[in-house]
Amino acid sequence: MTPPAAGFGTRIVSTGSFVPEKVVTNFDLAEIMDTSDEWIQKRTGIRQRHISDQSKGEGTVSLAINAAVDAFEKSGLAPEDIDLIICATCTQEMTCPSVACRISERLGTKKAAAFDLAAACSGFLYGLNFAETLIRCGRYRTALIVGADAMSTVMDYTDRSVSILFGDASGSVVVTRDDDPARGCQYQLMGADGVGWEALYMPRREVDIPEHDRDNPIKLGMLRMNGREVFKFAVKKFQEVIEETMEQSGHSIDDLSLMICHQSNLRIIESAREKLGIEEGKVYVNIDRVGNSSAGSIGLCLDELNRAGRINEGDLVLFVAFGGGMTWASSLWRV
Ligand code: ACO
């Protein structure tokens, strides 16, 4: 991967997000499972999460559409200006049509390419990186990238080791071509190691369940996680990915204006921050309010920061994520 050369640059036009109204606190969870607010806060930093009201038909499609409409309306663009829609999700209600096509229907984009992308919590950055590359090379002018996961729809609320972590949310961004080639993504990194898939999976059929998990009470369609394995992987990977991105881009940690990382667990984020000596105020955290919303998390953080006026032209912003697969990604932007 080489740094951006002469040609087109890219810029963020607008951002959007959505969280469902319904809030589930740690105390609410303690009423239905053997856990406590103290345990959850200490191990994860989470106080509450938002979840979809499935009785009202809420889920991934409504999360995705709400975030998409938010960014689209703020962009001031017309439907025909959008060339590409990517929706990152691992909780599609229907695999056909894609969630991206439902967004297309709602926005009235008649010609934009639209597809879903599955890279779990890394999905939003995979989508952002692919779209940025296609715009930079001149193939497309403007893309809408959405990350949306209704994790509550794949939670077994009798499994306390998994269900306390996740919440539902979505985030979105409109990215377009810029005449300044120095603007936009400075360096991007994406990777996967399928050997680790058994640490985080959603079995649809009995045969999907790995041998070592067959004796455990596993519900089909629900997320199964080996928390300790994922934790070890994440702590190591976050640090490696950040170090490689900064080194390859020719920037130092001190050059960063902000780091926006996937909200997996406060301890994972803090471990990377402390090891790399990143100032506390430069690392955004909202996991206490929303939990881990998988592909929704990074776009939601970006939009919250944007709305708070904390993303300014010329800032150097590092995005970093890891997720099921196992997958990982980074994207370093001069915004
Ligand atoms: N409440 C109370 N006790 C609990 C709970 C709970 N909710 N869950 C587990 N415990 C107990 C365990 O049974 C265990 O008890 P024991 O010692 O008597 O056996 C003890 O607490 C410790 O369990 P661990 O699993 O070792 O706890 P750990 O400190 O690892 O924390 C956690 C668990 C929070 C899940 C952590 O491992 C973690 O965050 N892992 C990373 C998960 C993650 O980031 N996943 C997202 C991946 S992104 C994606 O793509 C979806």
Side-chain angles (χ1 to χ4, degrees):
M1 174 72 214
T2 47
F8 297 114
T10 55
R11 73 186 152 84
I12 292 171
V13 180
S14 58
T15 60
S17 64
F18 184 77
V19 285
E21 215 178 299
K22 192 170 172 183
V23 171
V24 173
T25 65
N26 294 345
F27 294 102
D28 294 329
L29 290 180
E31 281 178 21
I32 57 168
M33 63 181 78
D34 183 13
T35 191
S36 67
D37 175 58
E38 191 196 354
W39 192 96
I40 300 172
Q41 285 215 42
K42 195 165 157 221
R43 302 283 176 130
T44 70
I46 299 167
R47 284 188 292 112
Q48 61 170 50
R49 68 288 293 143
H50 292 249
I51 68 163
S52 304
D53 187 339
Q54 292 186 57
S55 71
K56 292 183 184 159
E58 291 176 358
T60 299
V61 169
S62 57
L63 288 172
I65 287 178
N66 278 308
V69 167
D70 190 19
F72 177 71
E73 286 181 347
K74 289 180 200 154
S75 74
L77 297 170
E80 54 275 20
D81 295 329
I82 306 286
D83 302 313
L84 173 67
I85 301 171
I86 300 176
C87 183
T89 183
C90 63
T91 57
Q92 292 161 312
E93 283 125 15
M94 293 193 277
T95 49
C96 180
S98 66
V99 180
C101 282
R102 305 290 296 280
I103 295 170
S104 159
E105 178 198 26
R106 174 64 181 79
L107 298 185
T109 61
K110 301 282 182 206
K111 287 192 290 190
F115 66 92
D116 290 353
L117 185 159
C121 306
S122 311
F124 185 80
L125 289 192
Y126 266 57
L128 182 65
N129 284 343
F130 273 105
E132 207 272 348
T133 305
L134 289 167
I135 296 169
R136 189 171 280 283
C137 78
R139 180 68 63 198
Y140 293 109
R141 182 178 285 273
T142 305
L144 166 66
I145 302 101
V146 180
D149 267 320
M151 295 306 286
S152 64
T153 62
V154 293
M155 278 308 119
D156 172 2
Y157 285 100
T158 63
D159 182 352
R160 67 178 184 172
S161 67
V162 184
S163 56
I164 50 123
L165 277 177
F166 294 92
D168 301 354
S170 53
S172 59
V173 62
V174 175
V175 177
T176 196
R177 187 186 290 174
D178 192 272
D179 291 335
D180 179 3
R183 196 166 181 194
C185 185
Q186 309 292 301
Y187 187 81
Q188 59 164 269
L189 190 156
M190 289 185 278
D193 181 358
V195 168
W197 76 268
E198 292 179 6
L200 204 63
Y201 66 97
M202 268 182 241
R204 296 281 170 204
R205 310 163 304 167
E206 295 288 345
V207 296
D208 297 333
I209 301 169
E211 197 66 40
H212 67 82
D213 243 353
R214 294 254 159 102
D215 293 335
N216 290 319
I218 295 178
K219 293 191 179 139
L220 294 181
M222 299 293 144
L223 182 72
R224 175 81 181 154
M225 181 180 76
N226 181 335
R228 279 179 210 183
E229 280 305 309
V230 176
F231 194 92
K232 275 191 280 175
F233 168 83
V235 165
K236 191 164 161 277
K237 209 50 169 179
F238 253 19
Q239 188 178 349
E240 280 174 13
V241 168
I242 296 167
E243 281 174 338
E244 186 180 337
T245 305
M246 299 316 289
E247 200 181 305
Q248 294 293 328
S249 69
H251 290 283
S252 81
I253 289 283
D254 291 338
D255 297 335
L256 285 178
S257 312
L258 269 174
M259 183 166 94
I260 302 178
C261 45
H262 169 50
Q263 306 289 302
S264 49
N265 179 322
L266 186 60
R267 286 192 293 150
I268 295 173
I269 299 170
E270 279 297 296
S271 153
R273 191 187 66 72
E274 281 167 16
K275 281 186 189 146
L276 296 165
I278 309 174
E279 276 172 49
E280 201 173 346
K282 288 187 178 179
V283 181
Y284 190 63
V285 171
N286 68 4
I287 193 169
D288 54 320
R289 288 181 281 116
V290 293
N292 176 342
S293 54
S294 189
S297 107
I298 289 198
L300 173 64
C301 291
L302 173 64
D303 186 50
E304 288 185 352
L305 284 160
N306 200 16
R307 276 187 281 135
R310 289 188 57 194
I311 309 272
N312 299 303
E313 195 173 327
D315 281 355
L316 190 65
V317 180
L318 174 64
F319 300 92
V320 56
F322 75 93
M326 304 300 287
T327 56
W328 57 89
S330 72
S331 199
L332 180 68
W333 279 64
R334 179 72 68 191
V335 295

